[in-house]
Amino acid sequence: MERRIDFTRERQMLCGRCDHRWRVELDWIDRWEQGQETCPGCGVTCEQEDAPRVTVDPDDPALNDDRVSILFWYHTSTQPDWPTRDFDPAAVLTPETRMMMGGEQRVSAWTAYQRAKALHVGTFESAVHNMLRRIRDQGDQHSQFYLYRVRLKPSVVVRERWLVDPSNFAGDVVLDEVCPPGVDVARYLNYHEDPGGLSLALGRGAIATVQRIAVPLPDVWDGGWVRDAVTALKGVSGAVVPATGKLARFKRPSSPRAVLGREFGASLVDRLPVNLRDQFVLAAEFAEGEEPEQWARRTSGLFGLMDDPNRVLAALDRQDPREV
């Protein structure tokens, strides 16, 4: 069952001080985080420990235990075979890295911890948000990402009620800590990607099948924008020029082509939800020496993930499910 995808939908806020609950737009949350808004109930600001936070929408279909297993869930990863059948996190470690980690005993303990971590799936919006966050925070700008649509096994046992986001500072969740014996899936309020949406922590055994596509899609969303960008970028020099002026020593050298590329990328930003704009700017950044058409098509494709999700869903529909 597919849920309505809406990156700009209103969110629910709940004040930890006065228990006032109300709906807000993403622009309100952006102003709130800058200290420009207060709780309508008690006037508390974002600086307070018990300040309002985004919370789960009572109309979220994933609150219904019986619907969790029939909803589609999503995940983005740079792994082409997620979730990997024989996951060995130590396989990529060099002998030097193993020595730096403290030897084979420490490596074995680290491997066991990695295997004990829960998998994460969530809304379509959270999967795209996660990809943009990884590009921004983990240097994956030129990595190939894959979008997975996940179907759960009908027999999964869902933990009662939802949890506040249990992730640690690295985003990890130990599966046994949220899914005790007899429980396969735990719902949690996602604060970081698609704030206010429910995501799932689960083990590999809870997944029945996945469908996968490479993202962004190779076909262009806005051919006119791509043609204009390519023509303009090819018309200016790609030679790097040292910065000038009083603050030149604090600026990195850049080419006129890269500067123009950033301007074209910025022209799309205002059409995106405010909570995705910073991530998109970095994901769409024009790199020195990059081929204009390749950059323009990739940038248009990234934008299209949020602007027209139905095309993405149609591409997933054409993929055969893979049993996990």
Side-chain angles (χ1 to χ4, degrees), residues 174-251:
V174 177
L175 182 61
D176 289 346
E177 294 179 357
V178 295
C179 290
V183 173
D184 303 304
V185 172
R187 292 164 290 194
Y188 67 89
L189 167 62
N190 197 325
Y191 280 137
H192 306 292
E193 292 109 16
D194 189 29
L198 282 171
S199 292
L200 303 182
L202 70 167
R204 190 178 183 281
I207 299 175
T209 63
V210 297
Q211 292 166 289
R212 186 203 76 176
I213 56 172
V215 288
L217 296 176
D219 52 332
V220 175
W221 259 257
D222 188 342
W225 182 90
V226 169
R227 286 191 296 271
D228 291 345
V230 171
T231 299
L233 290 169
K234 287 186 174 180
V236 296
S237 173
V240 175
V241 179
T244 58
K246 293 182 178 180
L247 300 178
R249 62 193 181 98
F250 299 108
K251 300 178 182 179

Side-chain angles (χ1 to χ4, degrees), residues 14-242:
L14 176 64
C15 183
R17 175 170 294 185
C18 71
D19 290 331
H20 182 67
R21 181 189 289 264
W22 74 106
R23 287 182 175 272
V24 299
E25 296 181 345
L26 287 170
D27 287 340
W28 189 96
I29 296 178
D30 184 58
R31 295 193 303 272
W32 159 262
E33 292 175 345
Q34 299 177 53
Q36 299 173 9
E37 297 283 357
T38 61
C39 171
C42 64
V44 68
T45 63
C46 65
E47 288 85 3
Q48 305 302 314
E49 185 175 350
D50 54 357
R53 297 197 70 173
V54 68
T55 191
V56 172
D57 191 319
D59 295 327
D60 192 322
L63 289 172
N64 186 324
D65 294 359
D66 295 331
R67 287 191 174 188
V68 171
S69 64
I70 64 174
L71 291 170
F72 288 148
W73 299 90
Y74 291 89
H75 180 75
T76 44
S77 174
T78 56
Q79 297 178 17
D81 59 346
W82 181 92
T84 307
R85 182 175 296 276
D86 298 311
F87 177 52
D88 182 8
V92 297
L93 300 179
T94 65
E96 293 77 13
T97 301
R98 290 171 181 266
M99 289 294 294
M100 291 175 61
M101 292 174 64
E104 291 306 312
Q105 187 172 353
R106 292 286 184 87
V107 170
S108 295
W110 174 82
T111 299
Y113 174 77
Q114 297 300 316
R115 287 175 171 165
K117 293 192 301 187
L119 302 176
H120 298 269
V121 296
T123 61
F124 180 95
E125 296 94 324
S126 70
V128 174
H129 198 159
N130 175 66
M131 180 185 69
L132 294 177
R133 179 191 58 78
R134 284 193 55 175
I135 292 173
R136 181 193 66 183
D137 297 341
Q138 300 180 25
D140 278 322
Q141 182 176 6
H142 298 291
S143 298
Q144 177 62 65
F145 276 87
Y146 300 92
L147 174 68
Y148 291 89
R149 181 159 65 188
V150 179
R151 290 180 174 88
L152 303 183
K153 293 179 179 177
S155 59
V156 293
V157 177
V158 182
R159 177 172 174 157
E160 291 186 11
R161 295 180 290 276
W162 54 270
L163 305 170
V164 173
D165 193 335
S167 304
N168 61 20
F169 70 95
D172 297 335
V173 175
V174 177
L175 182 61
D176 289 346
E177 294 179 357
V178 295
C179 290
V183 173
D184 303 304
V185 172
R187 292 164 290 194
Y188 67 89
L189 167 62
N190 197 325
Y191 280 137
H192 306 292
E193 292 109 16
D194 189 29
L198 282 171
S199 292
L200 303 182
L202 70 167
R204 190 178 183 281
I207 299 175
T209 63
V210 297
Q211 292 166 289
R212 186 203 76 176
I213 56 172
V215 288
L217 296 176
D219 52 332
V220 175
W221 259 257
D222 188 342
W225 182 90
V226 169
R227 286 191 296 271
D228 291 345
V230 171
T231 299
L233 290 169
K234 287 186 174 180
V236 296
S237 173
V240 175
V241 179

Side-chain angles (χ1 to χ4, degrees), residues 233 236-237 241 252-266 286-288 295:
L233 290 169
V236 296
S237 173
V241 179
R252 61 180 181 180
S254 187
S255 68
R257 179 173 293 171
V259 172
L260 185 59
R262 288 192 287 271
E263 292 175 0
F264 266 96
F286 189 97
E288 297 292 352
W295 172 84

